[in-house]
Amino acid sequence: QQQVKQSPQSLIVQKGGISIINCAYENTAFDYFPWYQQFPGKGPALLIAIRPDVSEKKEGRFTISFNKSAKQFSLHIMDSQPGDSATYFCAASKTSYDKVIFGPGTSLSVIP
Amino acid sequence: GAVVSQHPSWVICKSGTSVKIECRSLDFQATTMFWYRQFPKQSLMLMATSNEGSKATYEQGVEKDKFLINHASLTLSTLTVTSAHPEDSSFYICSASPGLLGTQYFGPGTRLLVL
């Protein structure tokens, strides 16, 4: 059973456009929702994270929107750049320091 | 920011041999370390959780006798793949957490190829 669902599997966006990745979870015990960026051959790097008591969090070009009642959250990348081309994972955890359950990932390609 | 290192970054071994992968937290003490495995084009799957000085907790379906985890100090955890087989070839990633003091940090990963 997939605890964290993610869509789309792959995404192609033009430079300057908005990239949107959606995720959903089932376990209401999850209380911390990070997003990770991973380049080929590298470990994942934390991009931004949110807790359910906040509906939106913005850091630079990255924004997380959170809908607690629907158990859904999404990542918006504004002004997408070719350097943003990577695999993005949404994830869920009970705390910021607990084990992380990853979504299946979204491969983002930003084309010039 | 906090740094987690892994050694080696790449390892190739023959089928039947054992391989040890190290995970170190360089500038903080990690009360808990996690080991993940990632197959090509797939997500990270948690293998086990280790706390310093105690036995690791393995996820369902992970063979504890095959994947030996030792968390001997607050800055070092090791994963030993015993009697490795080609199907164990994967990208192994650790993460370290300082516990209540903050979030966890991921290492750069170790690519294992078993011939």
Side-chain angles (χ1 to χ4, degrees):
Chain A
Q1 181 186 2
Q2 199 174 71
Q3 294 195 56
V4 180
K5 298 179 181 179
Q6 182 173 350
S7 64
Q9 186 176 12
S10 63
L11 182 61
I12 300 174
V13 174
Q14 281 207 309
K15 180 182 175 182
I18 303 173
S19 304
I20 302 173
I21 304 170
N22 299 299
C23 287
Y25 65 98
E26 290 295 324
N27 190 345
T28 54
F30 291 142
D31 199 52
Y32 177 74
F33 300 88
W35 284 86
Y36 292 92
Q37 178 189 58
Q38 186 181 34
F39 293 104
K42 306 293 184 184
L46 178 65
L47 259 183
I48 185 172
I50 196 168
R51 287 191 165 81
D53 53 346
V54 176
S55 61
E56 186 175 282
K57 183 175 181 180
K58 182 177 180 180
E59 288 186 2
R61 295 185 294 112
F62 302 93
T63 300
I64 302 178
S65 298
F66 195 91
N67 185 330
K68 186 176 179 178
S69 61
K71 291 188 285 187
Q72 294 175 347
F73 57 112
S74 61
L75 175 70
H76 289 59
I77 305 175
M78 312 300 287
D79 187 26
S80 299
Q81 298 297 313
D84 296 331
S85 297
T87 300
Y88 292 80
F89 294 97
C90 62
S93 179
K94 291 182 180 179
T95 68
S96 63
Y97 47 87
D98 206 342
K99 63 183 181 183
V100 176
I101 307 300
F102 285 83
T106 296
S107 177
L108 171 65
S109 296
V110 181
I111 56 176
Chain B
V3 178
V4 175
S5 70
Q6 285 185 239
H7 179 78
S9 55
W10 258 102
V11 58
I12 301 174
C13 69
K14 293 183 178 180
S15 184
T17 61
S18 294
V19 174
K20 180 184 283 188
I21 301 170
E22 292 185 349
C23 175
R24 293 182 185 272
S25 55
L26 298 185
D27 49 5
F28 67 97
Q29 292 187 326
T31 55
T32 306
M33 287 185 171
F34 304 92
W35 286 94
Y36 297 82
R37 179 168 54 179
Q38 185 178 33
F39 291 107
K41 304 289 187 185
Q42 293 189 24
S43 186
L44 285 79
M45 298 299 294
L46 179 67
M47 298 176 66
T49 301
S50 73
N51 292 294
E52 187 263 340
S54 60
K55 289 185 178 180
T57 302
Y58 291 81
E59 295 297 302
Q60 193 173 12
V62 177
E63 300 174 59
K64 60 179 68 175
D65 294 332
K66 181 170 186 62
F67 299 99
L68 301 179
I69 292 172
N70 185 289
H71 193 158
S73 76
L74 286 173
T75 60
L76 174 65
S77 176
T78 60
L79 167 68
T80 301
V81 183
T82 62
S83 186
H85 291 286
E87 57 266 30
D88 297 323
S89 298
S90 189
F91 194 45
Y92 291 87
I93 304 168
C94 72
S95 70
S97 169
L100 296 175
L101 297 177
T103 189
Q104 61 179 285
Y105 303 92
F106 282 81
T110 295
R111 178 78 60 191
L112 170 63
L113 178 61
V114 184
L115 302 177

